[in-house]
Amino acid sequence: MAVDVILGLQWGDEGKGKIVDYLAEKYDLVCRFQGGPNAGHTIKIDGKKYVLHTIPSGIFRPDIINVIGNGVVLDPITMVREMESLEASNIDYLPRLLVSRKAHLIVPTHRFLDAASEASKGLGKIGSTLKGIGPAYMDKTGRNGLRVGDLTAPDFENKYKTIKEKHLGLIKLYPDISFDLDAEEQNFFECVEKIKKLRFVNSEYYVNQALTEGKQILAEGAQGSMLDIDFGTYPFVTSSNTISAGVCSGLGIAPNKIRDVIGVAKAYCTRVGSGPFPTELLDETGEKLRTVGMEFGATTGRPRRCGWIDIPQLLYTIMLNGVTKIIITKLDVFDTFEEICVATNYSYDNMISSELPFDIVDKHIDQMYESFYGWNESMDSMMEYDKLPLAARNYITELEKLLKTKISMVSTGPEREKLFER
Ligand code: GDP
Ligand code: IMO
Ligand code: MG
């Protein structure tokens, strides 16, 4: 009876989907606790690529129950698209997918508001995925939101109308954006009918009952800790608590039920959207990381910004999450690199510090780097950790020392089987 957590330690896209899919086998339930269709979790099985946005990444494992928790914001339109893509691949998800009645809904005008808000910010835009995440969480905390449980209420259409009118009033405060409300609304209501075939549950009771019965739960994070609404690089963040604390409020699980917090980090670092990125490489090395690592957003297709791994940043998110184990992904991306750098410390305000400053958005930070030899060898055919090149294993050992936390697994490719225990 325990809850383990998998979450991202950087700015998202660390490879959480692949790791959850791999580890899900050992659990009874996989539960998403926050975020929404801004997430894009890629899983490669038998040569086929799947991208999940709202559905938990345990869905490809037979017998495992997948729960969309109360902390998630769900868009019926993207949800139906995801359901249809699973159906097209003959994945029998329906009996194994549960949705919290308390999860909040994203309606079309949330997406329009997201776009209008970004347009009003000009150069200061956050780089949102424009999936309506911010406006939906604003309505949740503003106590105006619609929830999945409302979909089956007789007055749902009235409730929808009230929130829509409020949004249309707000949109007038922003620069003009074009949107086709009628078409989106029609699609929305068609999708609402389709998602009613899913099983809506009081998920806080469901997951706690599962724990009482001795079941094992894996909580799947979306985004990354540096995008956390409280502790990320505010305001260039998302609108939910992406750190381990979000598991408790996003699923209704008490803190003492959490066992392992498994943090996922790339062997380097990426960020998509605007905001500070202390180790960003704007040169050809950054371009090489993007090309070799195929660093293009799984949700928006935007090129991801790339840079070296950042130890102060990771020590910060290890601290915030209470990380017990780390999994390093995408080590293979360095196969053709002569030299690999690691930022070990920051320098700002005439001092050396490993603490992220409050004003990280405005402050100029210099990094102190340590460099390591590359291995100039393809890992593609190496199917055991101990068979990986010595320089690659040395890089992992050095990271482990710098992060003062056990690196339990290393991933060397997008496929399920390219994940090795140490
Ligand atoms: P998530 O949002 O954390 O689930 O990550 P994404 O799916 O957005 O991005 C991770 C990308 O890296 C996906 O395209 C994965 O298929 C890919 N990937 C995951 N692990 C590895 C790895 O070890 N090596 C390589 N080369 N690609 C990986
Ligand atoms: P996964 O789960 C990477 C980023 C956006 C933007 C900021 C706010 O795949 O790791 P939002 O749409 O939430 O208003 O955008 O957060 N962002 C992500 N970046 N991976 C994600 O999810 C992200 N979800 C949001 O690019 O900078
Ligand atoms: Mg992603």
Side-chain angles (χ1 to χ4, degrees):
M1 173 198 113
V3 182
D4 292 335
V5 184
I6 288 186
L7 46 73
L9 293 180
Q10 295 159 320
W11 279 277
D13 304 327
E14 296 88 351
K16 300 174 291 294
K18 170 188 160 153
I19 306 295
V20 171
D21 164 69
Y22 181 88
L23 294 179
E25 210 177 22
K26 300 184 188 153
Y27 294 85
D28 301 293
L29 269 69
V30 175
C31 310
R32 272 281 301 270
F33 58 92
Q34 46 69 234
N38 48 350
H41 295 179
T42 315
I43 295 157
K44 208 168 167 190
I45 309 167
D46 299 332
K48 191 164 178 196
K49 187 174 124 173
Y50 303 89
V51 182
L52 296 170
H53 301 285
T54 316
I55 297 175
S57 303
I59 204 71
F60 300 104
R61 298 282 188 184
D63 307 325
I64 291 166
I65 301 291
N66 290 263
V67 180
I68 297 174
N70 59 280
V72 172
V73 284
L74 182 147
D75 183 339
I77 296 177
T78 44
M79 186 67 189
V80 166
R81 230 177 276 144
E82 256 181 279
M83 288 158 59
E84 286 172 351
S85 80
L86 290 181
E87 282 156 23
S89 302
N90 292 319
I91 311 287
D92 183 26
Y93 64 91
L94 210 49
R96 297 182 292 109
L97 182 60
L98 309 180
V99 186
S100 169
R101 289 197 175 91
K102 292 196 172 85
H104 277 248
L105 290 170
I106 299 176
V107 299
T109 40
H110 280 136
R111 276 186 284 115
F112 304 154
L113 270 172
D114 214 356
S117 163
E118 281 285 75
S120 75
K121 289 192 164 117
L123 286 177
K125 72 173 188 205
I126 288 161
S128 161
T129 60
L130 305 180
K131 301 291 174 192
I133 306 295
Y137 278 115
M138 275 165 71
D139 272 334
K140 174 179 177 173
T141 51
R143 297 158 295 175
N144 296 307
L146 292 177
R147 298 182 292 175
V148 165
D150 294 322
L151 291 174
T152 50
D155 61 343
F156 176 70
E157 287 208 21
N158 281 339
K159 285 184 168 163
Y160 167 82
K161 224 170 144 194
T162 307
I163 202 166
K164 177 184 81 174
E165 295 302 336
K166 186 194 125 196
H167 291 163
L168 292 176
L170 282 174
I171 282 171
K172 291 191 187 126
L173 303 174
Y174 288 113
D176 258 354
I177 53 148
S178 68
F179 57 89
D180 185 346
L181 180 58
D182 290 344
E184 290 284 338
E185 203 165 55
Q186 191 187 338
N187 191 12
F188 176 77
F189 278 101
E190 282 167 14
C191 291
V192 160
E193 285 313 306
K194 289 184 188 155
I195 67 164
K196 281 184 185 165
K197 70 178 176 189
L198 297 172
R199 200 168 137 206
F200 300 159
V201 292
N202 296 332
S203 59
E204 62 277 31
Y205 283 104
Y206 187 91
V207 293
N208 280 290
Q209 180 62 29
L211 285 172
T212 306
E213 289 167 9
K215 299 215 163 113
Q216 306 291 329
I217 297 182
L218 184 60
E220 173 180 6
Q223 289 78 58
S225 305
M226 294 304 290
L227 292 170
D228 181 89
I229 182 71
D230 283 281
F231 297 104
T233 47
Y234 193 90
F236 300 99
V237 293
T238 190
S239 299
S240 64
N241 280 118
T242 59
I243 60 169
S244 54
V247 175
C248 298
S249 57
L251 290 174
I253 285 173
N256 59 358
K257 300 285 195 306
I258 295 178
R259 184 175 54 190
D260 271 326
V261 179
I262 304 163
V264 185
K266 280 178 191 173
Y268 48 99
C269 194
T270 65
R271 167 164 209 168
V272 58
S274 330
F277 182 177
T279 60
E280 181 170 16
L281 291 164
L282 296 166
D283 57 9
E284 58 200 38
T285 309
E287 191 54 49
K288 184 172 174 184
L289 281 171
R290 182 159 40 252
T291 312
V292 180
M294 294 196 268
E295 294 296 354
F296 296 89
T299 296
T300 59
R302 291 177 292 175
R304 293 174 184 151
R305 300 155 64 193
C306 298
W308 298 120
I309 202 165
D310 182 339
I311 301 298
Q313 178 271 301
L314 284 171
L315 288 171
Y316 176 65
T317 55
I318 289 167
M319 169 185 82
L320 292 170
N321 288 299
V323 169
T324 57
K325 292 176 190 170
I326 295 175
I327 298 180
I328 296 289
T329 59
K330 305 196 86 159
L331 188 62
D332 55 300
V333 173
F334 282 138
D335 277 358
T336 57
F337 281 63
E338 296 287 332
E339 183 194 30
I340 299 166
C341 294
V342 172
T344 51
N345 246 322
Y346 290 166
S347 158
Y348 54 85
D349 295 344
N350 300 317
M351 60 171 186
I352 293 170
S353 175
S354 61
E355 195 166 315
L356 274 64
F358 166 76
D359 49 352
I360 189 165
V361 170
D362 303 310
K363 196 181 279 304
H364 177 76
I365 298 176
D366 287 313
Q367 294 73 41
M368 306 177 75
Y369 284 107
E370 214 172 288
S371 97
F372 296 89
Y373 288 111
W375 42 93
N376 268 313
E377 199 180 346
S378 167
M379 291 180 171
D380 201 35
S381 58
M382 303 176 185
M383 297 309 283
E384 260 177 69
Y385 184 76
D386 291 338
K387 300 265 159 64
L388 297 183
L390 184 61
R393 283 180 284 137
N394 180 47
Y395 179 60
I396 296 295
T397 308
E398 291 303 318
L399 284 183
E400 189 169 58
K401 278 190 215 152
L402 290 164
L403 297 172
K404 302 176 186 77
T405 310
K406 169 93 187 145
I407 295 177
S408 62
M409 295 182 109
V410 173
S411 169
T412 63
E415 304 82 8
R416 219 183 221 175
E417 56 280 5
K418 295 243 170 93
L419 187 60
F420 308 118
E421 299 226 23
R422 286 179 78 225

